[in-house]
Amino acid sequence: MESVNAKYVSQKISKTRWRPVSHSSLQQPDIFATGSWDNEDNKISFWSIGNHGSSGMDEGFEGDPQLLCEHKHDGDVLDLQFLDQDRIVTTSSTGAVTIFRHHQNSQTISVSQRWPRVHRYPCDNAPCTGVVCSSPEIVTVGEDGKIIVFRADQEGVIRVIENADSSTIHAVTYLRTTEILTVNSIGQLKLWDLRQQSNSPSQILSLSGDRLPLHCVDRHPNQQHIVATGGQDGMLCVWDVRQGSTPFSLMEAHSAEMWEVHFHPTNPDHLFTCSEDGSLLHWETSTHSDMPSFLQGGRNNSMISRSAMAPAGGNQSLISTWLSGDSSKGRLETTHMLPSQTLSVNSLDVLGQCLVCGTDGEAIFVNRQVPV
Amino acid sequence: MEELDVEPAITNIPAASDGKHLGFAWGPGDILAYETLYMAPGMCAKGSGCSFIHEVRKDEDIYSPILRKLFNESHHIFVGLQTIREDLPSKNKKTQFVSISKNYRSVIRACMEELQQVAASVLVLQVSILLAIELIWNLCEVLFIDAAPAGPLLLHLLDWVRLHKGDVDEKAREVLQSESPAEHHDYWDVVVSYVLQGRFEEARQMLVKQATLQPAARNMYKLMDTLLSKMPFYNPGGTQTLTEFDVKWRHWHEEVDRCLQDNSFASNQHLEIICKILVGDEDTLLEHKELLSTWYHFLVTRLLFCHPTVKPTELHYYAQSCMTMFLDLRSVPEPLDSILLAAFEFDIHQVIKDCSIALNNWWFVAHLTDLLDHCKLLQSHNLHFGSNLREFLLLEYASGLFTHHSLWQLAVDYFDNCPEFGHVYLELQIERVPLDTERKALKVLRICEQRQMSEQVRSICKIMAMRALRNNRLGSALSWSIRAKDAAFATLISERFLQDYCARGTFSDLDLIDNLGPAMLLSDRLTFLVKYREFHKLYEENRFSEAAKLLLSLITAKIAPRSFWMTLLTDALPLLEQKEVSHSAHCALHCGFGHDLCFSGRVQLGEAELKDNSGTK
């Protein structure tokens, strides 16, 4: 069952994100936004895959993403997040942070707010590498090692943590509503408590071997102490931020940089990673002893998982299956989701049963029947 | 240099003033031209010079957003083609090659359709170029890759012509949708076109409509219907041999000829024409030049009705004669015509050469040549320069791609598949990619590391590290030097840290120094820095004996820079006052200083203090 088609879009895609669907409706997502990079004129675009709720549409060319509207973007789009149903925040390689508003009625995009050059060096712009938002608060990080907090609809910045890091901060995510997590290019995971005024992290975790850069981080949707990161060597690390300062389990995932890691938001036994080596992996963990029967298509590889340390004693049922890297306690199955030989997959997003990803081969892949 | 095949094209630079001498410089894919101050004798000074530089680009196609899809999709197909295993039996390989060729063509068609939808006047030329490309590629697929023998050959050629003459279906649709199709003014044109293309089913269906209108001539229409239905077509999968088919066909041909001689269709001019076409009468065919519209359609039609068992080697006789018959003596054959003729003559090299000249972009010839090379159809004669033809074209194409700000990533795979010079080309080109963000630098680095281009790795890391250092991002600079395993740079960075410490008395970027892990072993200076900071930490935590041991090892290991020896000394002094410092460590420190340090006055001062302390102990 190959319900994955490539749509060639004449721009290298750096980020793709689904527009959030309201939790009350059981609709599948139908609109996603993309940002491009490495073009003379970069763009952000909104696309629709025409999912209209419950109608059981068969896959095929009807599901080809259609371009709704696009807008010029100054500099590479290094990160992109939906602020709410109509607005997205983007960060640029020029160090600017911009909020765009998508007008659904007229299918146009306008710049709603802009903070130019917030990330900079004394005499140059610094690319702003990551953003995370929880409306109306927006937090960005950049190559200048700063963490900046904004509020949508307010001019200026709320707070700047100067010199938060002496190396480049690659990604940021929320741990709790007032705590954020950043990863940098010397392999450290830093916890920041935004309620405190100090400019130093409340906790630093790092890998115990080579200090390779970490590129992406994502938190488990239900268990807030479990965090997954991916880095330059393509290893997937799962950490428990309450215990210890080293990762709980390390798994060999990719043969090159891992660009994004995502837990499935409603079904966190599933994890997705994408990498420079052109592969997109779907990780699935289960505690049942029989093999899940719905794995269809793609290549199936059971990856070796190594525990960095044995799970701490105590109630086994409380420990998430992600942390018990020992394969006897649960199964970890991985599936390749793309045809082989694509260029780097830069970004992915998953919501409901739909997965979208963008590559350096200027193609977008949408899979509407992800087995979760 | 060999003589030129065609006259070089002249490009006017509209913005440059008349009569000025232009200077120029070659770029990787374009030329920069500028006005010089040179004055030809007899000219007078014409005011100040122009301050513009003109960029003249040969290849506009790579900047077209729709054509970009062509480059990306064909790259995907190209990479897939290279991985076809050599050990497959040749029959399987042929089907695979044919399907890959069809993939390429469908990509071209998709682009063409999209361009047609955009409907801007500028793009009409691009659409027609793509049409021509697909036509040529399709013919090459039929003749070279599929290499059908006599019998199926004609069927493939029929398909080829039908695919590229789409207006028949449009006209037919128009006629059928009218109130009375049989009375439409284009009706007979449609019927004749169907017959010319060998689409007898459709022709018969159309004729039925006419037959119902003329009940009196029913017998005639019935006869025509019979003739059309009985024409034999060779069935490649069947048991009939070519000779048997030939006999059958001749029988049918004689029957049609008899009908003609009997004047069976004399009363109906249109049916008479159709009968003459069926018999293969050249004059009648030539009368319908408008419906045929091209000499190759004429060729295939003529073969269909005169010689359906044509062999591939006989094609070029017919092609040449058809072209001469069809085209006016006055008209100059277009490049497309000579390319097609060369294909019918099975002169692959001529086809490639003519296409290279006619098109401004190496895309088509590079991919077609690569596919033909995989089919082992190109004799491996080497060119006067460089390597073989396939590699030459691929290198040219990929070099063109590398000048594009975004498509350079595709070019890497092309270079990978050029065994002789690809690596060198890549080494030279990859250094020119501008590195604006860390992410792009990481991607370029990954490309270099995967191909063991260690020099490029080092140079890129050094560039990024210097940039970081200039912006005072010491952690970033260090992570770049770790990546390149550049001990010298790590030393440089450590010196910066130590200088900072001397200047301010505290360490900056503690999160970095405290958490380096095994990376600190990259350079001596770095190790010293980390250990020194550790010493300070131990001291602050009042773990004096450990601190002393550490300091001692730092001194004896001699990894401290000279400028720091004094600082180390000064650090040692308070330690000597601590009671926790063991006696042995004490003496060791004492001796250590005596041996290694030879500052004159200051050392004596230190020794004096030591003597004091040891005295009190």
Side-chain angles (χ1 to χ4, degrees), chain B residues 77-106 137-138 140-147 367-378 390:
Chain B
I77 301 173
F78 174 84
V79 171
L81 171 59
Q82 309 308 312
T83 59
I84 286 185
R85 288 171 30 221
E86 281 296 314
D87 52 354
L88 281 181
S90 56
K91 207 161 180 221
N92 294 2
K93 274 207 259 186
K94 186 160 103 141
T95 17
Q96 272 196 303
F97 290 143
V98 171
S99 103
I100 287 179
S101 176
K102 287 189 161 59
N103 275 346
Y104 274 123
R105 283 196 297 121
S106 69
W137 194 306
N138 200 347
C140 290
E141 181 186 312
V142 167
L143 295 176
F144 305 142
I145 301 175
D146 216 350
H367 287 89
L368 182 62
T369 311
D370 175 61
L371 182 57
L372 293 176
D373 188 66
H374 272 89
C375 302
K376 307 258 187 292
L377 290 169
L378 290 180
R390 166 192 175 267

Side-chain angles (χ1 to χ4, degrees), chain A residues 15 22 64 96 108-109 111 126 134 144 152 165 181 192 202 238 263 276 287 289 311 313 341 356 359 365:
Chain A
K15 285 289 165 189
S22 54
D64 241 15
T108 52
I109 304 176
V111 176
S134 148
D144 55 355
D165 207 312
L181 211 58
W192 303 83
S202 43
V238 182
F263 282 99
E276 175 76 22
T287 45
S289 52
Q341 298 152 6
V356 64
T359 70
F365 292 84

Side-chain angles (χ1 to χ4, degrees), chain B residues 374-572:
Chain B
H374 272 89
C375 302
K376 307 258 187 292
L377 290 169
L378 290 180
Q379 305 144 333
S380 60
H381 75 250
N382 282 340
L383 307 171
H384 305 301
F385 47 87
S387 61
N388 60 29
L389 183 64
R390 166 192 175 267
E391 186 159 321
F392 171 74
L393 292 173
L394 283 177
L395 289 173
E396 288 291 315
Y397 173 62
S399 307
L401 277 184
F402 236 105
T403 64
H404 192 272
H405 49 79
S406 206
L407 293 175
W408 59 271
Q409 265 185 296
L410 303 179
V412 174
D413 282 309
Y414 288 101
F415 282 137
D416 281 344
N417 286 295
C418 293
E420 246 187 271
F421 291 113
H423 192 86
V424 173
Y425 268 67
L426 184 60
E427 278 180 10
L428 292 173
Q429 297 269 24
I430 200 108
E431 285 180 338
R432 297 204 144 83
V433 176
L435 304 172
D436 308 318
T437 61
E438 278 204 3
R439 180 169 276 225
K440 187 159 177 192
L442 288 170
K443 286 181 186 265
V444 174
L445 265 182
R446 178 62 61 180
I447 291 172
C448 295
E449 278 175 358
Q450 280 172 344
R451 290 155 183 81
Q452 280 90 41
M453 305 196 323
S454 44
E455 223 183 273
Q456 277 70 26
V457 169
R458 238 177 300 132
S459 116
I460 290 170
C461 286
K462 199 160 266 176
I463 292 172
M464 298 304 291
M466 273 311 290
R467 211 185 281 177
L469 210 56
R470 228 182 301 131
N471 288 315
N472 218 18
R473 310 292 310 147
L474 295 176
S476 286
L478 195 58
S479 85
W480 287 111
S481 33
I482 290 173
R483 176 100 183 237
K485 303 201 190 358
D486 192 344
F489 215 90
T491 308
L492 195 75
I493 297 167
S494 319
E495 299 264 314
R496 272 282 282 266
F497 271 112
L498 293 171
Q499 279 167 18
D500 269 353
Y501 170 75
C502 290
R504 288 192 283 159
T506 54
F507 287 102
S508 62
D509 303 318
L510 286 174
D511 63 331
L512 173 66
I513 308 178
D514 284 342
N515 291 296
L516 268 183
M520 71 169 167
L521 298 172
L522 182 60
S523 113
D524 276 350
R525 199 55 49 82
L526 190 57
T527 318
F528 170 73
L529 173 67
V530 173
K531 290 292 177 194
Y532 188 59
R533 157 71 192 153
E534 209 180 304
F535 162 72
H536 273 266
K537 254 206 307 205
L538 290 173
Y539 192 87
E540 279 161 26
E541 293 166 9
N542 291 342
R543 289 150 72 178
F544 297 119
S545 54
E546 289 166 49
K549 278 200 207 101
L550 183 55
L551 187 60
L552 182 64
S553 62
L554 277 180
I555 294 166
T556 47
K558 297 187 193 183
I559 52 174
R562 274 194 104 102
S563 49
F564 240 73
W565 290 351
M566 193 54 212
T567 324
L568 287 180
L569 228 200
T570 343
D571 287 331

